[in-house]
Amino acid sequence: MTAQAAKPAVPLSRFVDSLRKHAANGKKLHLGILNIPMDLRLGTEDYRAITRDAFHHLPENTQVHRLENGMVAFVRGGKWAEGDDNFVDHVRETLSDVIERQGLGHIPDTLWNRFQWPIDEKQVLELLGLPAIGHFSNEPSQRFDMAEMLRGAVTVDAVFDSCRRQAIVGVHDNSREILGHELYCSLDYLRQHHLASFLLEGPGELEILSRVLDEKVMDVTQSIASSIFPDRLHLNMQVQTVLSETFSDFIGSGNGKLIENLAVEFSMENAIANWWEFEDACAFLKSVGIRVGLDRITLPALEFLSPRKMNVDFVKVIWDQNIIGSRRTEVTERLREFANLFVDQSLILTRCDSRTALRMGRSLGVEAFQGTYIDAVLGPYLKQECKTPKRSSDKRCAVCQWAPREARKNGCDFHFRLGKVLSEI
């Protein structure tokens, strides 16, 4: 047997051409093809395991061809009288391990297919997804649609289970004012509980996942709109998502309620990488009455941004307590400058996980905050507000405000909305 699993995948056109050349020379070939879906994303070791099983369970002198669409073909020139049930069983075990490892995918009912060439040429081409007649180019066939695969793998229920709702609060001397909430999908939770150890290969696939999650979060928002509105709901999205028909359909639903209650944030990285599209997206959002902001701005990055040229309604700056030493003065003064320009609580200091962030921000003129410490500050107010019978502790109600799935499970309401003023306790 010739093991070729470690070599690059063979283009389908080249594989079929080789079969036709053998047939032209009067050779009749016996084929076995493993119909492995490309979305299983087998690794090199997985293909090697299949090759080892073929060596032990298939006839001698069987050639192995790993195809570019993920399938594996086994070709033999002589008779193929031996049974291959043991081989198929071992392959199923390998694929089951892959699915368990990645958390998605399926094994086709017709995993193993036996053919004779050229008698079964039509059936072979149909399985490979190739035209029955004509010539094939030497170019690789089009790759599978990653976005469609992820849309099927990441369900709306999984995203709802992974969604988090975090308060944005204006802090004054004697009161707290609710400015809205950010709804986002926790990618860490989604991977751990719904995608297992599914690995993304490079920034391109991560961007595709982000756009798919944008679509799913829009679906979740529509499904819980009646329980979370009226409020100012912040959604962090990709620039490309906002310019899509899916987003237009999204904001057009609900008799305009989404437009009234929505604010869209773009990450600084996504905006810089797609600057012209970012400006178009900002202009579009403002034209329909949706507030737009720039998110994930680091403190050091403030030195390179021009606040007067930023065509956004608000900015979100990440708090970093590790900014110390000689640079601390420069960074804090730059933050003060931004706070003076982005007035009326339009500069939001995020990831505030300590009282230090709140105190430092306020001393520099920041009035709006978001983070785990801010959520904790709301705890005493929830104690007074929540009347849900199932509430066994103040902590449970806080979890309901943070995780929509818990609010639905416990019958808890989202108590605080845009404009709610909480007096000092």
Side-chain angles (χ1 to χ4, degrees):
M1 174 175 296
T2 305
Q4 301 182 9
K7 296 182 179 180
V10 178
L12 298 179
S13 57
R14 186 187 306 169
F15 174 67
V16 172
D17 283 344
S18 69
L19 296 179
R20 286 176 171 168
K21 288 179 181 178
H22 284 295
N25 292 327
K27 295 182 180 179
K28 295 182 179 180
L29 302 176
H30 291 261
L31 278 71
I33 298 179
L34 286 172
N35 182 22
I36 300 175
M38 198 167 186
D39 59 13
L40 281 183
R41 301 162 63 87
L42 268 63
T44 301
E45 289 302 320
D46 300 318
Y47 282 111
R48 285 176 177 166
I50 292 174
T51 301
R52 286 194 296 268
D53 289 331
F55 178 81
H56 290 294
H57 299 287
L58 295 184
E60 293 184 4
N61 300 320
T62 299
Q63 293 185 337
V64 183
H65 302 271
R66 173 187 169 188
L67 306 180
E68 64 177 341
N69 64 351
M71 297 182 185
V72 184
F74 303 85
V75 182
R76 176 174 168 77
K79 293 184 179 180
W80 194 330
E82 296 88 341
D84 39 36
D85 291 343
N86 289 337
F87 169 66
V88 177
D89 290 341
H90 280 81
V91 172
R92 288 187 181 276
E93 291 178 7
T94 298
L95 299 183
S96 298
D97 291 340
V98 172
I99 293 174
E100 183 176 356
R101 184 176 72 232
Q102 297 185 161
L104 54 84
H106 71 285
I107 300 175
D109 294 332
T110 55
L111 173 64
W112 180 240
N113 304 268
R114 289 280 296 273
F115 303 103
Q116 292 186 48
W117 187 277
I119 298 174
D120 299 322
E121 177 177 354
K122 181 179 179 180
Q123 293 90 323
V124 172
L125 296 179
E126 183 177 343
L127 178 63
L128 297 178
L130 296 175
I133 58 175
H135 300 284
F136 303 98
S137 69
N138 290 325
E139 297 179 1
S141 62
Q142 186 176 1
R143 294 185 62 186
F144 77 103
D145 192 327
M146 179 77 173
E148 286 301 321
M149 186 272 287
L150 287 173
R151 287 188 185 100
V154 182
T155 64
V156 174
D157 289 339
V159 173
F160 175 76
D161 189 47
S162 309
C163 267
R164 302 292 178 261
R165 176 178 175 268
Q166 195 166 51
I168 302 172
V169 178
V171 179
H172 311 289
D173 290 338
N174 299 312
S175 65
R176 312 283 187 263
E177 179 185 0
I178 304 300
L179 305 178
H181 294 82
E182 179 179 351
L183 186 70
Y184 64 94
C185 177
S186 171
L187 187 55
D188 289 340
Y189 187 92
L190 181 71
R191 280 177 167 172
Q192 181 178 355
H193 295 274
H194 297 284
L195 293 183
S197 58
F198 179 74
L199 298 177
L200 295 173
E201 299 177 353
E205 293 189 358
L206 184 60
E207 180 179 340
I208 293 173
L209 175 61
S210 298
R211 293 183 63 180
V212 170
L213 290 181
D214 286 348
E215 296 174 5
K216 301 294 183 177
V217 169
M218 287 189 283
D219 291 338
V220 170
T221 301
Q222 288 178 310
S223 69
I224 63 176
S226 60
S227 63
I228 60 177
F229 293 150
D231 195 4
R232 174 61 51 73
L233 187 68
H234 288 241
L235 298 180
N236 193 298
M237 292 190 165
Q238 297 284 301
V239 169
Q240 297 85 349
T241 299
V242 170
L243 298 176
S244 68
E245 293 185 7
T246 303
F247 182 80
S248 297
D249 295 339
F250 168 64
I251 62 175
S253 62
N255 297 321
K257 290 184 178 179
L258 283 171
I259 292 179
E260 296 174 5
N261 294 273
L262 198 61
V264 172
E265 307 168 1
F266 300 114
S267 71
M268 184 177 69
E269 299 93 332
N270 185 235
I272 291 175
N274 306 274
W275 188 257
W276 301 115
E277 292 85 353
F278 165 68
E279 291 191 335
D280 291 342
C282 290
F284 165 69
L285 291 171
K286 290 188 174 186
S287 70
V288 298
I290 297 177
R291 284 170 55 84
V292 58
L294 193 61
D295 186 21
R296 301 180 193 172
I297 303 174
T298 62
L299 288 173
L302 291 176
E303 300 181 42
F304 307 99
L305 296 176
S306 174
R308 292 180 176 84
K309 294 183 179 180
M310 298 170 65
N311 187 27
V312 293
D313 299 304
F314 62 93
V315 294
K316 300 178 84 171
V317 180
I318 300 173
W319 167 253
D320 184 0
Q321 63 181 2
N322 296 319
I323 299 295
I324 58 174
S326 60
R327 294 201 62 195
R328 180 163 186 166
T329 301
E330 300 173 9
V331 169
T332 53
E333 286 306 313
R334 187 63 171 162
L335 181 59
R336 188 194 303 275
E337 180 183 348
F338 266 73
N340 290 335
L341 291 172
F342 285 90
V343 294
D344 299 328
Q345 302 169 329
S346 57
L347 188 149
I348 304 167
L349 198 61
T350 66
R351 301 189 190 179
C352 298
D353 56 2
S354 67
R355 182 178 296 182
T356 301
L358 180 60
R359 289 180 173 177
M360 179 66 75
R362 293 204 64 202
S363 70
L364 296 173
V366 180
E367 297 179 334
F369 301 85
Q370 178 183 351
T372 55
Y373 178 76
I374 305 304
D375 289 333
V377 168
L378 298 179
Y381 299 101
L382 289 173
K383 180 179 180 180
Q384 295 181 345
E385 191 83 14
C386 185
K387 307 299 180 185
T388 303
K390 288 186 178 182
R391 181 173 69 89
S392 59
S393 65
D394 301 334
K395 184 177 180 181
R396 165 166 285 190
C397 188
V399 171
C400 288
Q401 305 305 301
W402 175 66
R405 73 166 190 273
E406 296 298 322
R408 176 179 292 181
K409 185 191 332 182
N410 297 321
C412 198
D413 296 325
F414 296 119
H415 304 300
F416 302 145
R417 312 291 178 91
L418 172 66
K420 176 77 172 180
V421 177
L422 308 170
S423 301
E424 189 71 67
I425 295 179

